[in-house]
Amino acid sequence: MESKVAYQNELNLKATELRLGLPGTDIESEEQALSSARNNKRPLPDNTKECGLKGSSDDAQHSDHEAAPPAKAQIVGWPPIRSYRKNNLQPKKTEAEASGIYVKVSMDGAPYLRKIDLRVYEGYPELLKALENMFKFTIGEYSEREGYKGSEFAPTYEDKDGDWMLVGDVPWDMFMSSCKRLRIMKGSEARGLGCGV
Amino acid sequence: MDFSLPTEPMNHKRKNPDPSPDSDESTTQLSSPFPDEVLERVLSLLNSRKDRNSVSLVCKDWYDAERWSRTHVFIGNCYSVSPEILTRRFPNIRSVTLKGKPRFSDFDLVPPKWGAYVHSWLLVFATKYHFLEELRLKRMTVSDENLKLLALSFPNFKALSLLSCDGFSTDGLASITTHCKNLTELDIQENDIDDKSGKWLSCFPENFMSLEVLNFANLNSDVNFEALERLVSRCKSLKVLKVNENMTLEQLHRLLVLAPHLRELGTGSLLQELTPRQHSELKSAFNNCKNLNMLSGFYEVTSIFLPVLYPACTSLTFLNLSYAALRSDELSNLLVHCPLLQRLWVLDSVEDEGLEAVGSNCPLLEELRVFPASDPFEDEILHGVTEAGFLAVSYGCKKLHYVLYFCRQMTNAAVATIVQNCPDFTHFRLCIMNPRQPDYQTNEPMDEAFGAVVKTCTKLRRLAVSGLLTDLTFEYIGKYANNLETLSVAFAGSSDRGMECVLKGCPKLRKLEIRDCPFGNAALLSSFRKYESMRSLWMSGCKVTMDGCRLLAQEMPRLNVEVIRECGNDGFQADKLYVYRSVAGPRKDAPSFVLTL
């Protein structure tokens, strides 16, 4: 049956899958991960909608052949275990992952948060490009004087002191060591405009 | 909402306790043969809310007597009723249980700031329920200000339980520990807390000694151990103590020596190296805990440590190992010492072999939960449990009636055998972790598995289905699951017919939660009157549209039909739908992304 064959194919493809910082221990996988970040290729298929895979069996057949491996793609809230329990699974990961700098990324209006490994990016351009891809939006152009111009989004982060800072002001290394979490603010929120929904 | 409400609120004053033959109230109705106070006294002995609901429907007198004598109220959906209506009907409440967000918020399907604020409830309780003693909240948003208000408003306050709540910090807990002089229970479980520090524990006054239940396993900040030690030694009635991960074995030992009468213990992290002397001291301390019924915690545990527990396991009825990635041999060795076990929670790291040990050693087992040890999307699933483990448990544990089972493969034949072995299932929650996965042996859908479950398990109240499922599964459910109250469905079904079958059958259905299924408006509208007999319906990632939802809202004015709208949504699909009955009308506190139709 098609679904079984597809399932087995998924298992094979998994071995060669490019992943973003997980669980890559050696330099080779790191390089692969970096290049995937640079090329803006996401290992998670873009057809995964915000609210999970859509439900008809036709779609199931369809998505089994699209990107690989769709059955292993991140589905929001699946498997259905509480976030509290999920977070407590982290210690079981490999050495290399434990040494990554994982921060949560939220975007105003998006229904769920993401997590990224800052170590994977070489600098601000890579990070911002990855964020743009992850949440499907455009960040404006950065200038020291005016911040991010040209879009209604502004990437911000919470630093060690608990303050919310604009991404890009400090040197990359300083940012990596002080960033606790990221939040992509809707410029409209910062400037008092509505979402337009 | 778990009490039956008439359509108009009752405003009767308490009737005169001396019944006069010419009572002006009841010329046209039968009055109760008992004086009110006798009836109330009798009814005050009733604890079951089902019984109380039935009593309240008998006649006006009984309704009144019941409402005056009720001391505990359970509200399954905080938006189904308003605090004003509640306090008007029940003036003497001492204990409130309140549940807020839809269950799928546990899985990040509900955006933050959705609602379920306890604030408006507390404001009303502060004036109407001065003698409030207990508050149990689940999936509610609670702020530090709320906790302060709580601590200051109720002089008799005894028990606070917060499960899966959010919005507060350890500062809020400090208000509770500082001001609640009569506190017996502080139970903080699986919440999204802003964990600032462990100082809250030190805020218990030095003369405070009434604590019976303390659970802070959820909190990561260090508490002052000396303060905890003094607290434990003062509180002679302490029955439940669940500490956080940071407690060392040395500290655990000291606590056990002070409180050998504990019934429930949650350990901290168990990774430290023990000298032989420490080992035997700890073992002896556990040996002295003759009343221990429940053990939990076990964050990071080694094989070497486990034998220390063996003496304490003889009376164990509940063992929660769901944070400890044990191997099958470790579990097996432990279970040999737990013959009285009734409830067991484990991670799937124990594998099928570990579950075989469960079947062999725990004949009294009633409940089994097997959680995934690792994220199946991030780690290759080479481990975990299969149908073999579940089968092994069903052969050995004939009393099994509650199962939550996360597995990577299952077969129809196995499930059929399992329910033949254990026909008394009340809760059957099976999660085959790969969505839409068929029977791995026959490649067929898993319809017959769930068919067997509903046909055989006549007492079934809760069911969660998974795997590749066609509408046939739902035909079976609708036809046979006559006692089913809660149904959870994900990535299943072939057409509207599936959902229609469930809505047309399942006479006792109260909660229906569906995600990513091909059910659309036809299904949603097929039995819309049914939703008034249910607590709630959740549909996300399905095929319902805004028009379908509007139609439902029009037909059923006593339902709240809410759509969660996210940015980027086209305005045509109703991506997340939440429908629930309410006597409080539409929400007044809905955020901009929740549209009430």
Side-chain angles (χ1 to χ4, degrees), chain A residues 4 7 19 51 53-54 72 76 78 82 84-85 93 111 195, chain B residues 106 190 218 322 377-378 433-434 436 443 515-516 566-567 575:
Chain A
K4 184 173 186 180
Y7 183 60
R19 309 191 96 191
C51 305
L53 300 173
K54 293 295 175 190
K72 295 276 188 175
V76 178
W78 193 264
R82 290 202 185 141
Y84 178 77
R85 201 173 270 287
K93 297 271 186 347
C195 177
Chain B
D106 285 350
E190 295 185 12
N218 194 186
S322 61
F377 296 118
E378 294 188 3
M433 285 193 277
N434 221 358
R436 301 195 198 89
N443 258 314
R515 64 165 293 180
D516 300 287
E566 270 134 5
C567 286
D575 221 24

PDB file of all heavy atoms in Angstrom, chain A residues 4 7 19 51 53-54 72 76 78 82 84-85 93 111 195, chain B residues 106 190 218 322 377-378 433-434 436 443 515-516 566-567 575:
ATOM      1  N   LYS A   4       2.428   2.640   3.260  1.00  0.00           N
ATOM      2  CA  LYS A   4       3.496   1.890   3.915  1.00  0.00           C
ATOM      3  C   LYS A   4       4.807   2.159   3.202  1.00  0.00           C
ATOM      4  O   LYS A   4       5.836   2.361   3.824  1.00  0.00           O
ATOM      5  CB  LYS A   4       3.180   0.401   3.894  1.00  0.00           C
ATOM      6  CG  LYS A   4       4.227  -0.401   4.670  1.00  0.00           C
ATOM      7  CD  LYS A   4       3.865  -1.863   4.806  1.00  0.00           C
ATOM      8  CE  LYS A   4       4.889  -2.555   5.719  1.00  0.00           C
ATOM      9  NZ  LYS A   4       4.593  -3.962   5.876  1.00  0.00           N
ATOM     10  N   TYR A   7       6.055   5.441   4.063  1.00  0.00           N
ATOM     11  CA  TYR A   7       6.576   5.429   5.433  1.00  0.00           C
ATOM     12  C   TYR A   7       7.998   4.895   5.449  1.00  0.00           C
ATOM     13  O   TYR A   7       8.885   5.431   6.092  1.00  0.00           O
ATOM     14  CB  TYR A   7       5.649   4.567   6.287  1.00  0.00           C
ATOM     15  CG  TYR A   7       6.017   4.509   7.740  1.00  0.00           C
ATOM     16  CD1 TYR A   7       6.060   5.667   8.527  1.00  0.00           C
ATOM     17  CD2 TYR A   7       6.289   3.290   8.361  1.00  0.00           C
ATOM     18  CE1 TYR A   7       6.393   5.598   9.864  1.00  0.00           C
ATOM     19  CE2 TYR A   7       6.611   3.226   9.685  1.00  0.00           C
ATOM     20  CZ  TYR A   7       6.661   4.382  10.434  1.00  0.00           C
ATOM     21  OH  TYR A   7       6.988   4.310  11.755  1.00  0.00           O
ATOM     22  N   ARG A  19      19.355  19.039   8.843  1.00  0.00           N
ATOM     23  CA  ARG A  19      18.630  19.529   9.999  1.00  0.00           C
ATOM     24  C   ARG A  19      19.281  20.802  10.504  1.00  0.00           C
ATOM     25  O   ARG A  19      20.453  21.032  10.318  1.00  0.00           O
ATOM     26  CB  ARG A  19      18.628  18.476  11.096  1.00  0.00           C
ATOM     27  CG  ARG A  19      18.181  17.140  10.577  1.00  0.00           C
ATOM     28  CD  ARG A  19      17.921  16.192  11.679  1.00  0.00           C
ATOM     29  NE  ARG A  19      16.500  16.218  11.986  1.00  0.00           N
ATOM     30  CZ  ARG A  19      15.995  15.643  13.064  1.00  0.00           C
ATOM     31  NH1 ARG A  19      16.792  15.074  13.927  1.00  0.00           N
ATOM     32  NH2 ARG A  19      14.715  15.653  13.293  1.00  0.00           N
ATOM     33  N   CYS A  51      -1.526  25.413  11.723  1.00  0.00           N
ATOM     34  CA  CYS A  51      -2.339  24.625  12.621  1.00  0.00           C
ATOM     35  C   CYS A  51      -2.176  23.143  12.383  1.00  0.00           C
ATOM     36  O   CYS A  51      -3.059  22.371  12.642  1.00  0.00           O
ATOM     37  CB  CYS A  51      -3.806  25.003  12.471  1.00  0.00           C
ATOM     38  SG  CYS A  51      -4.058  26.756  12.711  1.00  0.00           S
ATOM     39  N   LEU A  53      -1.012  19.631   9.927  1.00  0.00           N
ATOM     40  CA  LEU A  53      -1.357  19.165   8.593  1.00  0.00           C
ATOM     41  C   LEU A  53      -2.861  19.105   8.444  1.00  0.00           C
ATOM     42  O   LEU A  53      -3.571  18.686   9.346  1.00  0.00           O
ATOM     43  CB  LEU A  53      -0.780  17.772   8.362  1.00  0.00           C
ATOM     44  CG  LEU A  53       0.746  17.690   8.474  1.00  0.00           C
ATOM     45  CD1 LEU A  53       1.206  16.254   8.411  1.00  0.00           C
ATOM     46  CD2 LEU A  53       1.411  18.500   7.390  1.00  0.00           C
ATOM     47  N   LYS A  54      -3.350  19.476   7.317  1.00  0.00           N
ATOM     48  CA  LYS A  54      -4.790  19.437   7.078  1.00  0.00           C
ATOM     49  C   LYS A  54      -5.238  18.009   6.942  1.00  0.00           C
ATOM     50  O   LYS A  54      -4.462  17.126   6.616  1.00  0.00           O
ATOM     51  CB  LYS A  54      -5.134  20.211   5.786  1.00  0.00           C
ATOM     52  CG  LYS A  54      -4.882  21.682   5.885  1.00  0.00           C
ATOM     53  CD  LYS A  54      -5.791  22.331   6.892  1.00  0.00           C
ATOM     54  CE  LYS A  54      -5.426  23.799   7.066  1.00  0.00           C
ATOM     55  NZ  LYS A  54      -6.090  24.420   8.175  1.00  0.00           N
ATOM     56  N   LYS A  72       7.455  12.991   9.695  1.00  0.00           N
ATOM     57  CA  LYS A  72       8.333  13.346  10.796  1.00  0.00           C
ATOM     58  C   LYS A  72       8.391  14.852  10.996  1.00  0.00           C
ATOM     59  O   LYS A  72       9.126  15.338  11.804  1.00  0.00           O
ATOM     60  CB  LYS A  72       9.759  12.841  10.514  1.00  0.00           C
ATOM     61  CG  LYS A  72       9.864  11.343  10.471  1.00  0.00           C
ATOM     62  CD  LYS A  72      10.021  10.771  11.858  1.00  0.00           C
ATOM     63  CE  LYS A  72      10.320   9.284  11.789  1.00  0.00           C
ATOM     64  NZ  LYS A  72      10.587   8.698  13.081  1.00  0.00           N
ATOM     65  N   VAL A  76       2.306  21.084  15.160  1.00  0.00           N
ATOM     66  CA  VAL A  76       2.041  21.783  16.406  1.00  0.00           C
ATOM     67  C   VAL A  76       1.214  20.901  17.333  1.00  0.00           C
ATOM     68  O   VAL A  76       0.212  20.337  16.926  1.00  0.00           O
ATOM     69  CB  VAL A  76       1.261  23.091  16.129  1.00  0.00           C
ATOM     70  CG1 VAL A  76       0.951  23.798  17.431  1.00  0.00           C
ATOM     71  CG2 VAL A  76       2.066  23.994  15.230  1.00  0.00           C
ATOM     72  N   TRP A  78       1.786  18.013  18.646  1.00  0.00           N
ATOM     73  CA  TRP A  78       1.753  16.566  18.417  1.00  0.00           C
ATOM     74  C   TRP A  78       3.118  15.975  18.674  1.00  0.00           C
ATOM     75  O   TRP A  78       4.095  16.553  18.243  1.00  0.00           O
ATOM     76  CB  TRP A  78       1.312  16.279  16.978  1.00  0.00           C
ATOM     77  CG  TRP A  78       0.973  14.845  16.783  1.00  0.00           C
ATOM     78  CD1 TRP A  78       1.784  13.859  16.294  1.00  0.00           C
ATOM     79  CD2 TRP A  78      -0.251  14.203  17.164  1.00  0.00           C
ATOM     80  NE1 TRP A  78       1.145  12.653  16.316  1.00  0.00           N
ATOM     81  CE2 TRP A  78      -0.122  12.833  16.860  1.00  0.00           C
ATOM     82  CE3 TRP A  78      -1.445  14.645  17.718  1.00  0.00           C
ATOM     83  CZ2 TRP A  78      -1.135  11.906  17.082  1.00  0.00           C
ATOM     84  CZ3 TRP A  78      -2.452  13.731  17.943  1.00  0.00           C
ATOM     85  CH2 TRP A  78      -2.288  12.382  17.625  1.00  0.00           C
ATOM     86  N   ARG A  82       1.744  17.397  27.284  1.00  0.00           N
ATOM     87  CA  ARG A  82       1.768  18.776  27.764  1.00  0.00           C
ATOM     88  C   ARG A  82       3.139  19.400  27.566  1.00  0.00           C
ATOM     89  O   ARG A  82       4.162  18.740  27.746  1.00  0.00           O
ATOM     90  CB  ARG A  82       1.428  18.823  29.248  1.00  0.00           C
ATOM     91  CG  ARG A  82       0.006  18.490  29.534  1.00  0.00           C
ATOM     92  CD  ARG A  82      -0.401  19.051  30.864  1.00  0.00           C
ATOM     93  NE  ARG A  82      -1.745  18.632  31.201  1.00  0.00           N
ATOM     94  CZ  ARG A  82      -2.129  18.282  32.415  1.00  0.00           C
ATOM     95  NH1 ARG A  82      -1.265  18.308  33.404  1.00  0.00           N
ATOM     96  NH2 ARG A  82      -3.366  17.923  32.638  1.00  0.00           N
ATOM     97  N   TYR A  84       4.751  21.208  29.386  1.00  0.00           N
ATOM     98  CA  TYR A  84       5.554  21.042  30.594  1.00  0.00           C
ATOM     99  C   TYR A  84       6.325  19.736  30.535  1.00  0.00           C
ATOM    100  O   TYR A  84       7.501  19.656  30.850  1.00  0.00           O
ATOM    101  CB  TYR A  84       4.645  21.071  31.812  1.00  0.00           C
ATOM    102  CG  TYR A  84       5.374  20.856  33.099  1.00  0.00           C
ATOM    103  CD1 TYR A  84       6.119  21.878  33.665  1.00  0.00           C
ATOM    104  CD2 TYR A  84       5.350  19.628  33.748  1.00  0.00           C
ATOM    105  CE1 TYR A  84       6.806  21.688  34.835  1.00  0.00           C
ATOM    106  CE2 TYR A  84       6.029  19.437  34.919  1.00  0.00           C
ATOM    107  CZ  TYR A  84       6.755  20.474  35.464  1.00  0.00           C
ATOM    108  OH  TYR A  84       7.433  20.263  36.630  1.00  0.00           O
ATOM    109  N   ARG A  85       5.661  18.696  30.089  1.00  0.00           N
ATOM    110  CA  ARG A  85       6.309  17.396  30.009  1.00  0.00           C
ATOM    111  C   ARG A  85       7.321  17.389  28.874  1.00  0.00           C
ATOM    112  O   ARG A  85       8.409  16.834  28.994  1.00  0.00           O
ATOM    113  CB  ARG A  85       5.229  16.332  29.777  1.00  0.00           C
ATOM    114  CG  ARG A  85       5.619  14.947  30.159  1.00  0.00           C
ATOM    115  CD  ARG A  85       4.420  14.018  30.060  1.00  0.00           C
ATOM    116  NE  ARG A  85       3.679  13.936  31.300  1.00  0.00           N
ATOM    117  CZ  ARG A  85       4.115  13.296  32.371  1.00  0.00           C
ATOM    118  NH1 ARG A  85       5.274  12.692  32.348  1.00  0.00           N
ATOM    119  NH2 ARG A  85       3.389  13.261  33.455  1.00  0.00           N
ATOM    120  N   LYS A  93      18.805  14.701  25.471  1.00  0.00           N
ATOM    121  CA  LYS A  93      19.416  14.865  24.160  1.00  0.00           C
ATOM    122  C   LYS A  93      20.933  14.654  24.211  1.00  0.00           C
ATOM    123  O   LYS A  93      21.510  14.532  25.268  1.00  0.00           O
ATOM    124  CB  LYS A  93      19.134  16.292  23.646  1.00  0.00           C
ATOM    125  CG  LYS A  93      17.666  16.590  23.434  1.00  0.00           C
ATOM    126  CD  LYS A  93      17.282  16.200  22.049  1.00  0.00           C
ATOM    127  CE  LYS A  93      15.884  16.552  21.603  1.00  0.00           C
ATOM    128  NZ  LYS A  93      14.899  16.971  22.484  1.00  0.00           N
ATOM    129  N   PRO A 111       0.384  31.690  16.403  1.00  0.00           N
ATOM    130  CA  PRO A 111      -0.244  30.881  17.443  1.00  0.00           C
ATOM    131  C   PRO A 111       0.726  30.083  18.287  1.00  0.00           C
ATOM    132  O   PRO A 111       0.365  29.574  19.321  1.00  0.00           O
ATOM    133  CB  PRO A 111      -1.135  29.917  16.646  1.00  0.00           C
ATOM    134  CG  PRO A 111      -0.450  29.774  15.354  1.00  0.00           C
ATOM    135  CD  PRO A 111       0.186  31.105  15.058  1.00  0.00           C
ATOM    136  N   CYS A 195      -3.753  45.288  13.752  1.00  0.00           N
ATOM    137  CA  CYS A 195      -3.236  44.138  12.989  1.00  0.00           C
ATOM    138  C   CYS A 195      -3.845  44.087  11.599  1.00  0.00           C
ATOM    139  O   CYS A 195      -3.265  43.580  10.670  1.00  0.00           O
ATOM    140  CB  CYS A 195      -3.526  42.855  13.753  1.00  0.00           C
ATOM    141  SG  CYS A 195      -3.019  41.359  12.868  1.00  0.00           S
TER     142      CYS A 195
ATOM    143  N   ASP B 106      -3.201  22.776  26.224  1.00  0.00           N
ATOM    144  CA  ASP B 106      -2.031  22.060  26.760  1.00  0.00           C
ATOM    145  C   ASP B 106      -1.024  21.776  25.658  1.00  0.00           C
ATOM    146  O   ASP B 106       0.151  21.549  25.926  1.00  0.00           O
ATOM    147  CB  ASP B 106      -2.437  20.714  27.368  1.00  0.00           C
ATOM    148  CG  ASP B 106      -3.112  20.853  28.714  1.00  0.00           C
ATOM    149  OD1 ASP B 106      -3.116  21.966  29.278  1.00  0.00           O
ATOM    150  OD2 ASP B 106      -3.647  19.842  29.196  1.00  0.00           O
ATOM    151  N   GLU B 190       2.621  21.643  37.237  1.00  0.00           N
ATOM    152  CA  GLU B 190       2.709  21.809  35.780  1.00  0.00           C
ATOM    153  C   GLU B 190       2.185  23.139  35.281  1.00  0.00           C
ATOM    154  O   GLU B 190       1.393  23.193  34.349  1.00  0.00           O
ATOM    155  CB  GLU B 190       1.942  20.675  35.096  1.00  0.00           C
ATOM    156  CG  GLU B 190       2.577  19.349  35.377  1.00  0.00           C
ATOM    157  CD  GLU B 190       1.926  18.212  34.621  1.00  0.00           C
ATOM    158  OE1 GLU B 190       1.127  18.486  33.718  1.00  0.00           O
ATOM    159  OE2 GLU B 190       2.234  17.064  34.947  1.00  0.00           O
ATOM    160  N   ASN B 218       7.093  21.548  40.490  1.00  0.00           N
ATOM    161  CA  ASN B 218       7.057  22.380  39.282  1.00  0.00           C
ATOM    162  C   ASN B 218       8.109  23.488  39.280  1.00  0.00           C
ATOM    163  O   ASN B 218       8.462  24.012  38.233  1.00  0.00           O
ATOM    164  CB  ASN B 218       5.677  23.042  39.283  1.00  0.00           C
ATOM    165  CG  ASN B 218       5.300  23.682  37.978  1.00  0.00           C
ATOM    166  OD1 ASN B 218       4.269  24.326  37.902  1.00  0.00           O
ATOM    167  ND2 ASN B 218       6.105  23.536  36.970  1.00  0.00           N
ATOM    168  N   SER B 322       7.286   9.014  35.408  1.00  0.00           N
ATOM    169  CA  SER B 322       7.196   9.575  34.067  1.00  0.00           C
ATOM    170  C   SER B 322       8.222  10.659  33.778  1.00  0.00           C
ATOM    171  O   SER B 322       8.195  11.265  32.718  1.00  0.00           O
ATOM    172  CB  SER B 322       5.791  10.093  33.807  1.00  0.00           C
ATOM    173  OG  SER B 322       5.483  11.111  34.734  1.00  0.00           O
ATOM    174  N   PHE B 377       9.797  13.688  16.878  1.00  0.00           N
ATOM    175  CA  PHE B 377      10.197  14.434  15.690  1.00  0.00           C
ATOM    176  C   PHE B 377      11.667  14.777  15.713  1.00  0.00           C
ATOM    177  O   PHE B 377      12.239  15.151  14.712  1.00  0.00           O
ATOM    178  CB  PHE B 377       9.383  15.714  15.568  1.00  0.00           C
ATOM    179  CG  PHE B 377       7.931  15.430  15.351  1.00  0.00           C
ATOM    180  CD1 PHE B 377       6.992  15.848  16.259  1.00  0.00           C
ATOM    181  CD2 PHE B 377       7.522  14.716  14.246  1.00  0.00           C
ATOM    182  CE1 PHE B 377       5.654  15.568  16.068  1.00  0.00           C
ATOM    183  CE2 PHE B 377       6.181  14.435  14.046  1.00  0.00           C
ATOM    184  CZ  PHE B 377       5.250  14.864  14.962  1.00  0.00           C
ATOM    185  N   GLU B 378      12.269  14.703  16.859  1.00  0.00           N
ATOM    186  CA  GLU B 378      13.665  15.095  16.924  1.00  0.00           C
ATOM    187  C   GLU B 378      14.591  13.899  17.063  1.00  0.00           C
ATOM    188  O   GLU B 378      15.745  13.963  16.728  1.00  0.00           O
ATOM    189  CB  GLU B 378      13.863  16.078  18.076  1.00  0.00           C
ATOM    190  CG  GLU B 378      13.131  17.393  17.790  1.00  0.00           C
ATOM    191  CD  GLU B 378      13.462  18.476  18.802  1.00  0.00           C
ATOM    192  OE1 GLU B 378      14.290  18.212  19.679  1.00  0.00           O
ATOM    193  OE2 GLU B 378      12.888  19.568  18.690  1.00  0.00           O
ATOM    194  N   MET B 433       1.917   7.338  17.506  1.00  0.00           N
ATOM    195  CA  MET B 433       2.509   8.672  17.369  1.00  0.00           C
ATOM    196  C   MET B 433       2.663   9.170  15.952  1.00  0.00           C
ATOM    197  O   MET B 433       2.707  10.387  15.736  1.00  0.00           O
ATOM    198  CB  MET B 433       3.836   8.735  18.126  1.00  0.00           C
ATOM    199  CG  MET B 433       3.573   8.805  19.627  1.00  0.00           C
ATOM    200  SD  MET B 433       5.008   9.253  20.586  1.00  0.00           S
ATOM    201  CE  MET B 433       5.812   7.665  20.734  1.00  0.00           C
ATOM    202  N   ASN B 434       2.715   8.295  14.995  1.00  0.00           N
ATOM    203  CA  ASN B 434       2.772   8.735  13.611  1.00  0.00           C
ATOM    204  C   ASN B 434       1.343   8.948  13.112  1.00  0.00           C
ATOM    205  O   ASN B 434       0.573   7.995  13.048  1.00  0.00           O
ATOM    206  CB  ASN B 434       3.439   7.655  12.784  1.00  0.00           C
ATOM    207  CG  ASN B 434       4.384   8.231  11.792  1.00  0.00           C
ATOM    208  OD1 ASN B 434       4.537   9.436  11.668  1.00  0.00           O
ATOM    209  ND2 ASN B 434       5.027   7.345  11.050  1.00  0.00           N
ATOM    210  N   ARG B 436      -2.020   8.984  11.198  1.00  0.00           N
ATOM    211  CA  ARG B 436      -2.583   8.210  10.084  1.00  0.00           C
ATOM    212  C   ARG B 436      -1.806   6.920   9.789  1.00  0.00           C
ATOM    213  O   ARG B 436      -1.779   6.458   8.659  1.00  0.00           O
ATOM    214  CB  ARG B 436      -2.676   9.046   8.806  1.00  0.00           C
ATOM    215  CG  ARG B 436      -3.538  10.277   8.989  1.00  0.00           C
ATOM    216  CD  ARG B 436      -3.920  10.887   7.666  1.00  0.00           C
ATOM    217  NE  ARG B 436      -4.368  12.249   7.861  1.00  0.00           N
ATOM    218  CZ  ARG B 436      -3.561  13.309   7.846  1.00  0.00           C
ATOM    219  NH1 ARG B 436      -2.274  13.165   7.617  1.00  0.00           N
ATOM    220  NH2 ARG B 436      -4.044  14.522   8.056  1.00  0.00           N
ATOM    221  N   ASN B 443      -1.659  -3.508   7.160  1.00  0.00           N
ATOM    222  CA  ASN B 443      -1.776  -2.261   6.412  1.00  0.00           C
ATOM    223  C   ASN B 443      -3.175  -1.717   6.293  1.00  0.00           C
ATOM    224  O   ASN B 443      -3.432  -0.831   5.483  1.00  0.00           O
ATOM    225  CB  ASN B 443      -1.195  -2.407   5.004  1.00  0.00           C
ATOM    226  CG  ASN B 443       0.161  -1.783   4.983  1.00  0.00           C
ATOM    227  OD1 ASN B 443       0.343  -0.691   5.485  1.00  0.00           O
ATOM    228  ND2 ASN B 443       1.116  -2.488   4.414  1.00  0.00           N
ATOM    229  N   ARG B 515      -9.079  17.557  15.928  1.00  0.00           N
ATOM    230  CA  ARG B 515      -8.107  18.358  15.198  1.00  0.00           C
ATOM    231  C   ARG B 515      -7.727  17.674  13.901  1.00  0.00           C
ATOM    232  O   ARG B 515      -7.596  16.452  13.861  1.00  0.00           O
ATOM    233  CB  ARG B 515      -6.867  18.663  16.049  1.00  0.00           C
ATOM    234  CG  ARG B 515      -6.066  17.455  16.449  1.00  0.00           C
ATOM    235  CD  ARG B 515      -4.688  17.842  16.964  1.00  0.00           C
ATOM    236  NE  ARG B 515      -3.852  18.411  15.929  1.00  0.00           N
ATOM    237  CZ  ARG B 515      -2.605  18.836  16.123  1.00  0.00           C
ATOM    238  NH1 ARG B 515      -2.085  18.780  17.320  1.00  0.00           N
ATOM    239  NH2 ARG B 515      -1.891  19.336  15.134  1.00  0.00           N
ATOM    240  N   ASP B 516      -7.573  18.490  12.862  1.00  0.00           N
ATOM    241  CA  ASP B 516      -7.048  18.007  11.584  1.00  0.00           C
ATOM    242  C   ASP B 516      -7.795  16.807  11.035  1.00  0.00           C
ATOM    243  O   ASP B 516      -7.201  15.762  10.725  1.00  0.00           O
ATOM    244  CB  ASP B 516      -5.550  17.691  11.751  1.00  0.00           C
ATOM    245  CG  ASP B 516      -4.792  18.946  12.160  1.00  0.00           C
ATOM    246  OD1 ASP B 516      -4.630  19.818  11.296  1.00  0.00           O
ATOM    247  OD2 ASP B 516      -4.425  19.073  13.351  1.00  0.00           O
ATOM    248  N   GLU B 566      -6.397  33.777  13.456  1.00  0.00           N
ATOM    249  CA  GLU B 566      -4.985  34.124  13.497  1.00  0.00           C
ATOM    250  C   GLU B 566      -4.584  34.958  12.312  1.00  0.00           C
ATOM    251  O   GLU B 566      -5.177  34.862  11.248  1.00  0.00           O
ATOM    252  CB  GLU B 566      -4.141  32.859  13.553  1.00  0.00           C
ATOM    253  CG  GLU B 566      -3.887  32.434  14.989  1.00  0.00           C
ATOM    254  CD  GLU B 566      -4.120  30.963  15.203  1.00  0.00           C
ATOM    255  OE1 GLU B 566      -4.378  30.248  14.223  1.00  0.00           O
ATOM    256  OE2 GLU B 566      -4.050  30.528  16.352  1.00  0.00           O
ATOM    257  N   CYS B 567      -3.546  35.768  12.476  1.00  0.00           N
ATOM    258  CA  CYS B 567      -3.085  36.622  11.391  1.00  0.00           C
ATOM    259  C   CYS B 567      -2.695  35.775  10.203  1.00  0.00           C
ATOM    260  O   CYS B 567      -2.050  34.759  10.348  1.00  0.00           O
ATOM    261  CB  CYS B 567      -1.872  37.449  11.826  1.00  0.00           C
ATOM    262  SG  CYS B 567      -2.328  38.773  12.939  1.00  0.00           S
ATOM    263  N   ASP B 575     -10.548  28.311  11.309  1.00  0.00           N
ATOM    264  CA  ASP B 575      -9.501  27.348  11.592  1.00  0.00           C
ATOM    265  C   ASP B 575      -9.567  26.727  12.977  1.00  0.00           C
ATOM    266  O   ASP B 575      -9.208  25.583  13.166  1.00  0.00           O
ATOM    267  CB  ASP B 575      -8.132  27.997  11.371  1.00  0.00           C
ATOM    268  CG  ASP B 575      -7.200  27.036  10.689  1.00  0.00           C
ATOM    269  OD1 ASP B 575      -7.696  26.118  10.008  1.00  0.00           O
ATOM    270  OD2 ASP B 575      -5.982  27.164  10.851  1.00  0.00           O
TER     271      ASP B 575
END
